[in-house]
């Protein structure tokens, strides 16, 4: 007999299922189509468990990126997770034995559900968060396995399937604009890297882009806050 | 095999570190989470970094072969379908399949 927490966590995880299975299949396909082993595709999904970054990993592996470049790229793609963790400090407090896994498995999707708190009927909140995280990751790993198997069975190179990563970022980018996050920040994120791409070339443009974006935004926020203070005074 | 292992461990390690840092240094982050500067910076940083990742994905396309025009068409379909349907899944699967077809036929 499944516990109340198990049932509720499973129901809450259902919206994530389709997305994670599909993107997981995509990752399994992209990874193995690039000529890498299916075993490591599955291990990436088990140990890294960060969708966008796993797609980027394939790119890093094929281009023979250095360990430093890997660290920097991971920081770039995944830095936003620090804000998810900050947001969940309160809710995940006192989760005991469940906590390490919950922290490891705090992805965009899991955060988007967990940030609403434990639903009514849940008595053991840490257990609910733990199971929700576990269900979500199981869809992701299962999808990856399916993708790997599909590649083995069909055994044709899925050329161009890596566009799924591009599409994922374009969707996220469009969504940010539609939700009016900040149009100028979105524009900055396109223009600065594009200029850097023209100047430094495709192998070296990432680091200058990151530095330039960081500096420009820090200055912009400082100016904005200063203005706000002046306004109050 | 060895490179895959090294890449996997590095990326897994850095990712975990990012996720765990606020939980390890709770006090420091609790204080800073209320800082207006960090809050505003994170609001702006996210869309900018996503934009950068779009450029990163498209860095190697070329209009000298079919990848350029295929990516352009698939990209437009991706944005248009998302504005219309607001379904992440549809807007990833449809443009990807389209791109896979286009690079072979164009």
């Amino acid at each position: 007999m499944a516990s109340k927490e198990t049932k509720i966590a499973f129901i809450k995880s259902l919206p994530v299922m389709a997305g994670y299975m599909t993107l997981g299949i995509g990752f399994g396909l992209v990874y193995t189509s690039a000529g890498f082993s299916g075993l490591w595709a599955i291990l990436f999904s088990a140990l890294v468990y960060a969708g966008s970054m796993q797609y980027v990993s394939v790119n890093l592996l094929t281009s023979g990126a250095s360990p430093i470049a890997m660290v920097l790229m991971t920081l770039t793609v995944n830095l936003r997770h620090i804000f998810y963790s900050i947001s969940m400090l309160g809710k995940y407090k006192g989760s005991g034995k469940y906590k390490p896994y919950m922290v490891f498995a705090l992805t965009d999707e899991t955060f988007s559900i967990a940030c609403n708190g434990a639903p009514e009927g849940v008595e053991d909140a840490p257990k609910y968060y733990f199971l929700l995280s576990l269900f979500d990751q199981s869809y992701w790993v299962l999808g990856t396995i399916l993708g790997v198997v599909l590649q083995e069975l069909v055994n044709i190179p899925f050329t161009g399937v890596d566009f799924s990563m591009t599409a994922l970022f374009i969707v996220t980018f469009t969504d940010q604009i539609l939700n009016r996050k900040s149009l100028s920040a979105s524009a900055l994120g396109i223009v600065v890297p594009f200029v850097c791409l023209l100047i430094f070339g495709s192998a070296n443009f990432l680091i200058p882009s990151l530095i330039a974006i960081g500096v420009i935004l820090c200055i912009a926020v400082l100016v904005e806050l200063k203005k706000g203070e002046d306004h109050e005074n | 095999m060895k490179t895959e292992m090294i890449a996997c461990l590095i990326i897994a390690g850095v990712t975990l570190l990012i996720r765990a840092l606020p939980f390890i240094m709770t006090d420091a982050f609790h204080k800073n989470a209320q800082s207006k500067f960090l809050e505003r910076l994170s609001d702006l940083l996210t869309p900018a970094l996503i934009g950068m990742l779009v450029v990163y994905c498209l860095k190697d396309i070329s209009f000298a072969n079919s990848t350029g025009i295929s990516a352009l068409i698939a990209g437009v379909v991706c944005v248009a379908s998302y504005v219309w349907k607001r379904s992440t899944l549809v807007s990833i699967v449809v443009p990807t399949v389209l791109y896979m077809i286009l690079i072979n036929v164009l």
Side-chain angles (χ1 to χ4, degrees):
Chain A
M1 184 66 195
S3 75
K4 216 191 298 182
E5 280 77 16
T6 313
K7 272 187 227 157
I8 297 174
F10 178 67
I11 293 167
K12 286 282 171 188
S13 76
L14 282 176
V16 177
M17 190 193 259
Y20 267 19
M21 292 280 269
T22 314
L23 283 175
I25 291 173
F27 173 69
L29 276 177
V30 170
Y31 196 90
T32 48
S33 290
F36 300 115
S37 82
L39 174 70
W40 279 99
I42 297 162
L43 284 171
F44 259 87
S45 288
L47 300 174
V48 177
Y49 187 35
S52 323
M53 188 55 214
Q54 287 181 225
Y55 278 85
V56 174
S57 308
V58 183
N59 214 311
L60 292 174
L61 278 168
T62 46
S63 66
S66 68
I68 308 268
M70 289 178 186
V71 171
L72 281 173
M73 199 62 190
T74 312
L75 286 173
T76 309
V77 180
N78 285 340
L79 200 63
R80 66 183 188 287
H81 282 113
I82 214 164
F83 301 108
Y84 300 158
S85 292
I86 293 171
S87 308
M88 296 307 288
L89 283 174
K91 291 194 176 74
Y92 278 10
K93 205 176 170 186
S95 297
K97 62 183 177 190
Y98 294 124
K99 199 168 174 180
Y101 178 72
M102 284 156 51
V103 172
F104 158 77
L106 192 55
T107 59
D108 305 69
E109 278 76 3
T110 302
F111 170 74
S112 71
I113 297 169
C115 70
N116 297 318
E120 223 171 293
V122 169
E123 282 152 25
D124 189 348
K127 191 179 173 188
Y128 160 77
Y129 291 127
F130 175 80
L131 289 169
L132 177 73
S133 311
L134 191 63
F135 280 128
D136 285 352
Q137 191 180 13
S138 63
Y139 307 141
W140 181 247
V141 173
L142 195 63
T144 308
I145 295 172
L146 288 176
V148 169
V149 171
L150 189 65
Q151 170 68 35
E152 290 281 326
L153 288 179
V154 186
N155 203 21
I156 52 162
F158 284 84
T159 316
V161 73
D162 54 337
F163 192 80
S164 50
M165 169 174 77
T166 314
L168 173 67
F169 289 131
I170 294 178
V171 164
T172 315
F173 185 74
T174 312
D175 190 66
Q176 299 270 339
I177 292 175
L178 292 174
N179 287 322
R180 303 196 186 283
K181 286 287 183 206
S182 168
L183 198 57
S184 45
S186 295
L188 189 78
I190 296 286
V191 173
V192 170
F194 186 70
V195 171
C196 290
L197 180 63
L198 295 178
I199 301 172
F200 300 99
S202 76
N204 300 312
F205 81 106
L206 210 58
I207 294 168
S209 306
L210 261 179
I211 296 172
I213 289 174
V215 170
I216 295 172
L217 287 183
C218 281
I219 294 172
V221 172
L222 286 174
V223 169
E224 193 184 281
L225 292 177
K226 186 82 183 57
K227 257 191 203 162
E229 274 172 27
D230 289 348
H231 204 72
E232 278 166 30
N233 293 337
Chain B
M1 191 76 184
K2 205 180 148 209
T3 15
E4 285 175 81
M5 187 180 80
I6 294 169
C8 184
L9 294 179
I10 290 176
I11 295 164
V14 176
T15 305
L16 182 61
L17 189 71
I18 294 170
R19 286 175 178 157
L21 205 61
F23 289 97
I24 298 168
M25 303 170 60
T26 308
D27 291 341
F29 277 96
H30 248 322
K31 220 186 295 163
N32 284 323
Q34 287 145 13
S35 124
K36 266 188 190 161
F37 177 76
L38 264 188
E39 198 180 311
R40 188 75 186 123
L41 187 64
S42 76
D43 275 354
L44 296 179
L45 211 50
T46 308
L49 290 181
I50 300 288
M52 191 186 81
L53 291 171
V54 172
V55 177
Y56 175 78
C57 288
L58 297 171
K59 70 187 186 332
D60 292 319
I61 60 164
S62 161
F63 284 92
N65 55 48
S66 63
T67 57
I69 187 73
S70 304
L72 186 68
I73 296 171
V76 169
V77 169
C78 182
V79 173
S81 63
Y82 190 73
V83 172
W84 181 36
K85 285 284 180 194
R86 301 285 167 105
S87 158
T88 306
L89 211 53
V90 170
S91 297
I92 288 173
V93 173
V94 173
T96 303
V97 173
L98 182 67
Y99 180 80
M100 292 167 77
I101 297 169
L102 286 177
I103 51 169
N104 287 306
V105 298
L106 289 180

